[in-house]
Amino acid sequence: MTRITAQPGIMDIALYQGGQSHLAGVSDVLKLSSNENPLGPPPSAMQALSDAAGGMHLYPSTDHASLRAAIGEVWNVDPDRVICGVGSDEVLQFVTQAFAGPGDEIIYTEHGFSMYPILTSMAGATRVCVDEHERVVDVDAILTAVKENTRVVLLANPANPTGTMLPEGELERLADGLPDYVILVIDGAYAEFADGYDGGISLARDRSNVLVTRTFSKLYGLGGLRVGWGYGPREMMDVMNRIRQPFNLSVVQLAAAEAAVRDRDWLDTCIALNTEQRARLTGALRQLGLACDESHANFVLARAADSTEADAAEAALNAAGILVRRVAGYGFPAGLRITVGNAEQTGRVIDALTQWREGAAA
């Protein structure tokens, strides 16, 4: 009998674990475990989706021209240098699959997004994980790790789950320091939450080996639809489009994403709310003795003294019907990643943790 075996690297992949959604016996669960937009999708996107639903019997465009044009208009980029995918995860898969394989290496950092090692193994490439410095990407550590068979560097900025950010000068130093045969991928899933930051677009505009990715899942509130995009050199787009499924995005995905990217008023409202409540949550956590770095995303990573204290804090939040994300798999056994919610939701988190601290002190 023929033995069916997986390709090299596949069985090294640990299944991705998403944020928890349910608490046993609790009907009014506040889910702050997946960095979702507390205001939901823009009404304009919901209307566009509804209008497009009548065309679900028709195949969508294969070139995503209308959505790419909207992205080009809003972000001042050449639409011909934009590629769209099923979330930014698929765009990341395009680049790793197209440009790395067995014998090649892909670099990512110790607290990097958990999809990076998965994508590396999917491509059959070798994982190279480099240290960070106090939860911030270390440019010198990355440059030191580069070898002749390095093909891709995967970097989230702002980072998940730390929320920290590499200054633009350091990001430019990294891009300048990489050989031209190494692709720098700047994962900008949370870029819109960082004030004054273009997510690496200016770097990608002028370089032949820089790709930036974005998602509609966070700020735009379309996590359930799964739409993302990337921007890079034309030559890179040509290669990646050859492995992209022609109908990878549906008519409703395309319509909702195009409406969302154009809805600047809604996005400004969401950014303002996040900025306000992120500062409120960060200040409260620190007052309660939970360490946290300055976050540039839509979540805050609270670091307890140890895993026992983190267990107790999480239990208190769960008792109040609140779900947050434990991030031991990211190298933080005492870490709780908490999505920034609206004012009422942030208040619930602060109240639950305050009562926990007061109870522990009694």
Side-chain angles (χ1 to χ4, degrees):
M1 178 182 290
T2 301
R3 190 175 191 181
I4 298 174
T5 58
Q7 287 292 310
I10 299 299
M11 297 312 295
D12 295 331
I13 298 173
L15 295 179
Y16 178 82
Q17 298 294 319
Q20 190 178 353
S21 299
H22 305 285
L23 279 171
V26 179
S27 57
D28 181 26
V29 173
L30 172 55
K31 183 188 175 190
L32 299 178
S33 57
S34 296
N35 304 335
E36 295 153 333
N37 188 331
L39 297 181
S44 58
M46 292 189 283
Q47 183 61 55
L49 184 148
S50 178
D51 293 343
M56 286 193 293
H57 61 297
L58 303 173
Y59 280 100
S61 70
T62 60
D63 62 6
H64 311 145
S66 186
L67 175 56
R68 289 189 297 106
I71 291 169
E73 177 185 324
V74 171
W75 288 102
N76 190 29
V77 296
D78 181 355
D80 289 339
R81 294 174 57 182
V82 172
I83 188 170
C84 299
V86 181
S88 55
D89 288 356
E90 188 179 39
V91 180
L92 295 172
Q93 183 178 348
F94 293 155
V95 69
T96 53
Q97 183 180 350
F99 298 104
D104 297 329
E105 294 185 346
I106 294 178
I107 295 174
Y108 53 90
T109 64
E110 64 175 315
H111 303 305
F113 182 35
S114 62
M115 280 301 300
Y116 299 160
I118 291 175
L119 292 166
T120 301
S121 292
M122 287 172 63
T126 300
R127 305 174 179 182
V128 178
C129 181
V130 303
D131 291 342
E132 296 182 5
H133 179 67
E134 295 184 350
R135 300 166 302 283
V136 179
V137 168
D138 186 330
V139 169
D140 291 318
I142 293 175
L143 294 176
T144 299
V146 172
K147 297 189 294 191
E148 289 186 0
N149 61 340
T150 303
R151 293 293 172 262
V152 180
V153 173
L154 296 171
L155 168 68
N157 203 46
N160 172 27
T162 61
T164 60
M165 187 170 170
L166 197 62
E168 291 189 71
E170 283 293 278
L171 197 60
E172 185 173 4
R173 185 166 74 88
L174 174 59
D176 289 342
L178 290 173
D180 58 7
Y181 59 83
V182 177
I183 297 171
L184 172 61
V185 180
I186 304 171
D187 178 352
Y190 300 96
E192 291 92 346
F193 298 106
D195 184 40
Y197 174 53
D198 73 353
I201 284 176
S202 57
L203 289 177
R205 183 174 284 121
D206 302 323
R207 287 169 170 78
S208 62
N209 62 335
V210 176
L211 172 76
V212 299
T213 65
R214 294 293 186 89
T215 183
F216 284 90
S217 297
K218 306 304 180 184
L219 175 63
Y220 296 90
L222 303 184
L225 279 186
R226 311 303 301 129
V227 187
W229 58 278
Y231 168 72
R234 286 175 183 265
E235 295 79 9
M236 196 181 297
M237 298 299 104
D238 179 61
V239 175
M240 292 163 63
N241 271 310
R242 293 172 189 274
I243 61 172
R244 177 181 62 82
Q245 292 287 336
F247 300 111
N248 62 325
L249 293 177
S250 70
V251 292
V252 293
Q253 286 173 294
L254 291 167
E258 181 177 343
V261 78
R262 294 185 185 277
D263 198 335
R264 193 67 249 178
D265 289 342
W266 178 261
L267 301 180
D268 287 344
T269 297
C270 295
I271 290 171
L273 173 68
N274 183 77
T275 301
E276 175 187 75
Q277 295 305 313
R278 182 178 63 195
R280 179 187 174 199
L281 178 60
T282 299
L285 291 170
R286 288 172 176 168
Q287 285 189 333
L288 291 166
L290 293 167
C292 51
D293 296 307
E294 203 66 34
S295 174
H296 300 273
N298 68 335
F299 57 83
V300 176
L301 177 63
R303 305 191 315 277
D306 51 37
S307 58
T308 300
E309 184 178 67
D311 290 343
E314 183 182 29
L317 290 166
N318 289 173
I322 303 169
L323 282 171
V324 297
R325 183 73 177 268
R326 292 299 294 271
V327 286
Y330 284 93
F332 297 106
L336 299 170
R337 194 190 67 189
I338 307 171
T339 303
V340 175
N342 60 29
E344 184 272 334
Q345 293 168 342
T346 303
R348 281 182 62 180
V349 172
I350 295 171
D351 288 347
L353 291 175
T354 299
Q355 291 174 24
W356 161 66
R357 278 299 197 207
E358 291 174 347

